[in-house]
Structures are given as C-alpha cells and as structure tokens.
Amino acid sequence: MKSILTPLGPKADKDTVRRHNLSLVLRAVRDEGERGDATRAGVAARVGLTRAAVSSLVEQLMDSGFLTESGKTFSGQAGRPGTALKVARTGPAGLGVEINIDYVSVCVVDLAGTGRVRQTEHLDNRGAPAEEALARAARLAARTLESAYEQELRPVGAALALPGLVSGGSVRQAPNLGWNEVPAQELFADALAALRPGHPVLPVASENEANLAALAELWFGGLGDVRSFLYLTGEIGVGGALVLNGELLRGAHGFAGEIGHVVVDPAGPECRCGSRGCLEQYAGQAALLRAAGIAGTGGASGVLELERRAAAEDPRAVAAIGEAGRMLGRVLSGAVNLVDPDAVVLGGIYRGLMPWLAPPADEELTGRVVSGLWSPGSGRLRASSVAGDAARGAAALVVQDVLDDPVAYAEPSGG
C-alpha cells in the first residue's frame, strides 16, 4: 500500500498533530517491515521526527495493539542494536466483499496488508433480486468474520466491491445484474447486522469493483515503480479503472472507467446497457465462451474449459480469444493515446488467457497508438498479479482508514 508521510501545517492543534504523527509512525513501520526490520531510529529518520518523539508514539501504538516488538536487529554499525518493530498480526483489520455476476468473494486483510481469510461462493446473481444477492453476501461475510475472530482479528469496517455505476452507497446501474438505483450499502449493512445480534454494527463503504481491483494491484501487485496505469478486468462484463501518479481517477461523477461500454461497432450486437456493439459484446466472458463454442452459462468452469481448449490449440477457442484481444487492443489504443499510461494491466479472466490474448492486443496497440508511445513486446501490456483482486482492494480500503487515524480504531478500554 502507498505511504503518506506528509507534515501538518503550523496551525494544527496538539491532538491533531499527535494523531497525524501516530499515523506517520504506523505507516512507516508497515512500509519498513515490507523491506526488512523497522527500528525506532529508522522510523525517526524516515518520518523526520526525533528519536524521543518516535519512541513515545511507538509506545502508544503498542499499548493500543497496533505494533509489536520482535527482538533485536543489527545494522552492522557500531552502537547498541535496535529493537525490531512489526505491525501487529492481531487487532484491527478490514473486511472486503466483492459481489459479481457469478460469484461472491469475501476476504479479511490485516494492518500489514496480508490477506488472512478468504471465502468465495460461485453462484448466479443475474436472476436474483438485489436484496437476495446482498443477503447472500452478508451471510458469507458473517461466516468470514467468525473465522477472522478465531485468529484474533477485529475487522473494524467493511467495503463492498460492486459492478456497474456506484455512487453514494448505491448502484446506479449494473446492466448485467439488472440493478438500477439499488441502495446496496444500506441493504448489505442491514442484512449483516441482522445476522450478528449483539455485535457492534460495522460501518460499510462501497466502490466500483474495477476501481478496487486496480487499487489492490497498485498496493499489492508486482508493478514496481509503475504509478500510472490502465486496469481492465474481464468477467461477464468488462470493467476498467485508471490510476494516475498513484491516485485513482474517478471522474466528475465517480463513474470513470466504463471501458466495457465503449462502442466498437455501432451496428454490432445489442448490449444490456442499451447501446450496440459495446466492447463487452466481443471481449466479455459470455461473448468469449459463445464464440469458442462452449455451452452453458459460463462461470469459472467455462473459463477453465476455454483455457484448456486454447492450450490444446483448439482452433475455435484460439480464434475467439484472438478476436477478443484485437477488440481490446482497438479500444485500449484510444485510451493509451489519451492518457499515456506506463502500463496496461489485464485482470479477471484475462489473466489466464494472456498467452493467446496479449499478442493480438499488442499488435493492435502498436498499429494504432501514436508513433513512439507504444512498441511491441515492451512489457507495458501485462497480466495482473494474483494479489490484484477487488475483494482484497475493498478490505485494504478499510485498512487505509485505520492507518490514517489509528486513534479512531483503538480497542475500547474494557472491550
């Protein structure tokens, strides 16, 4: 996850300054812990505070259960060894819930960003009323919470990863689910609270699933120094997100990234969004399986069968994936010309199809992007990492809030 080590202005009051500094120290220990051992001296140098100030902040974070000590660390230089600090593996955590067309996935992420619990159910949400689909997700979330408590984790909030246009806690439109103006956040929160009488009510946030998958890729994936990228996720539909300089671009109304509904052919097949010839009609899961001659509703089994046939060099499967790659390349070329990202990352079902999908997509990008902005085989077109999924991104969104203000999430005294 990203680090935010920013000093406050001179007019901030003492409590605000201390809360801000607690956040700086907690983030610094988390970041240093990813590279090796964090010490009080190392954290002080990183955040620009005195050793004494950092020691006081560390003690408060340890007393509140956010940090632990894990023995001595030796720098190889003269002087006393430092005590290694680690982010606690128990205590506050985030709950992420991804509701997609043919599955629900729930995970819990701890303060170090580690996925600790994961449960997934494969089911068809297309014919279900929104209330029923959200109740299913709440039941899976409740079971996941119990598993988290067994590991002494305390999820302090939940975030929903939802397909379609998501704003203000509601799904404004999700064509493949048939949802319109669904108050998903409220319905899920109520269903989860009803399943857990006597437990504190978890605050719930919500965001588009492609946005959260992109954030997971940014925070946990293998992008290295890449901070600006286009992210596409292929499922029943095709979702997209744009990250520029490490920040998610949401657009004026929060709906940026609906690349699956960019029109490829105005005379093409009718789309559930009401338009014709949208990208998802050529590169979405249903379109791919249909073109490959794979019967049924699809889902994980259909995608695995598509991969198996492609690996066996089945002509129809290879041709179907190749055509999807060409359509993806055509649409992506316009986006690359417009925003010039460092990379284009393909996730969801595209990850496993990259051996057959990437070459035609790369060829289209090479031929259609302005000369000098794209070169074949450059590595800018890449598969997402296994860590870049929407449920994990949703859980990490909650963790970000904890890291921003640990005081607000400290264990209540006597609780």
Side-chain angles (χ1 to χ4, degrees):
M1 284 185 278
K2 62 181 178 179
S3 176
I4 304 174
L5 305 178
T6 307
L8 286 180
K11 294 184 179 180
D13 60 58
K14 289 183 178 179
D15 180 64
T16 300
V17 170
R18 186 162 187 82
R19 292 175 81 134
H20 178 75
N21 287 341
L22 285 165
S23 172
L24 288 182
V25 170
L26 181 57
R27 284 183 177 277
V29 172
R30 193 278 315 275
D31 292 348
E32 289 295 313
E34 293 176 350
R35 301 174 177 86
D37 290 326
T39 64
R40 289 167 175 79
V43 169
R46 180 180 177 87
V47 301
L49 298 172
T50 66
R51 172 78 179 269
V54 166
S55 293
S56 173
L57 295 165
V58 164
E59 293 306 314
Q60 184 174 341
L61 290 166
M62 290 178 62
D63 290 343
S64 299
F66 293 99
L67 296 180
T68 62
E69 291 182 323
S70 61
K72 302 295 183 181
T73 180
F74 295 87
S75 65
Q77 299 177 355
R80 297 173 60 188
T83 303
L85 301 169
K86 299 289 184 184
V87 174
R89 289 184 54 80
T90 58
L95 177 75
V97 182
E98 180 185 1
I99 301 173
N100 221 304
I101 286 81
D102 55 357
Y103 67 88
V104 174
S105 189
V106 182
C107 77
V108 173
V109 167
D110 64 20
L111 291 185
T114 305
R116 299 285 296 279
V117 186
R118 167 80 69 165
Q119 297 194 35
T120 300
E121 284 188 356
H122 294 279
L123 39 80
D124 192 348
N125 285 318
R126 280 169 289 196
E131 293 84 352
E132 182 180 328
L134 289 158
R136 289 174 181 170
R139 288 193 290 271
L140 187 60
R143 295 199 296 270
T144 306
L145 285 170
E146 290 303 317
S147 297
Y149 297 145
E150 291 173 1
Q151 298 186 43
E152 298 184 54
L153 291 166
R154 180 171 57 87
V156 296
L160 297 177
L162 301 163
L165 305 180
V166 182
S167 177
S170 294
V171 177
R172 304 301 182 188
Q173 185 184 40
N176 288 309
L177 281 174
W179 292 9
N180 290 285
E181 300 299 335
V182 172
Q185 199 167 291
E186 178 183 351
L187 291 171
F188 175 85
D190 289 347
L192 185 60
L195 291 166
R196 305 171 67 246
H199 287 79
V201 176
L202 284 185
V204 179
S206 58
E207 178 61 89
N208 172 267
E209 52 91 17
N211 285 348
L212 290 171
L215 288 176
E217 191 68 29
L218 174 69
W219 293 331
F220 308 117
L223 290 175
D225 293 332
V226 170
R227 306 291 290 169
S228 296
F229 61 97
L230 279 166
Y231 182 91
L232 263 71
T233 177
E235 300 293 347
I236 298 297
V238 180
L242 176 60
V243 175
L244 293 176
N245 298 319
E247 298 291 335
L248 184 67
L249 181 67
R250 288 186 168 85
H253 306 97
F255 302 146
E258 288 297 316
I259 198 167
H261 297 290
V262 172
V263 174
V264 177
D265 180 1
E270 186 175 352
C271 182
R272 291 177 67 91
C273 74
S275 186
R276 302 188 72 91
C278 293
L279 175 62
E280 76 172 42
Q281 296 304 308
Y282 301 92
Q285 182 188 115
L288 268 164
L289 297 182
R290 184 171 57 249
I294 298 174
T297 56
S301 61
V303 174
L304 287 173
E305 176 62 13
L306 178 61
E307 291 181 21
R308 186 193 68 78
R309 293 189 187 186
E313 300 183 356
D314 176 78
R316 192 169 178 182
V318 172
I321 301 171
E323 179 64 10
R326 280 185 284 277
M327 292 301 186
L328 282 168
R330 289 177 191 177
V331 171
L332 286 168
S333 65
V336 170
N337 279 328
L338 186 64
V339 299
D340 185 26
D342 290 322
V344 174
V345 182
L346 302 183
I349 66 170
Y350 297 146
R351 186 173 183 275
L353 300 176
M354 286 295 282
W356 309 279
L357 192 75
D362 203 20
E363 183 180 351
E364 288 289 330
L365 282 158
T366 301
R368 295 176 182 274
V369 171
V370 173
S371 178
L373 289 185
W374 194 273
S375 57
S378 63
R380 291 174 68 190
L381 180 66
R382 60 181 75 181
S384 68
S385 69
V386 293
D389 72 272
R392 188 174 183 186
L397 206 62
V398 177
V399 170
Q400 287 285 351
D401 286 341
V402 179
L403 296 173
D404 283 343
D405 188 7
V407 172
Y409 295 94
E411 181 76 56
S413 59

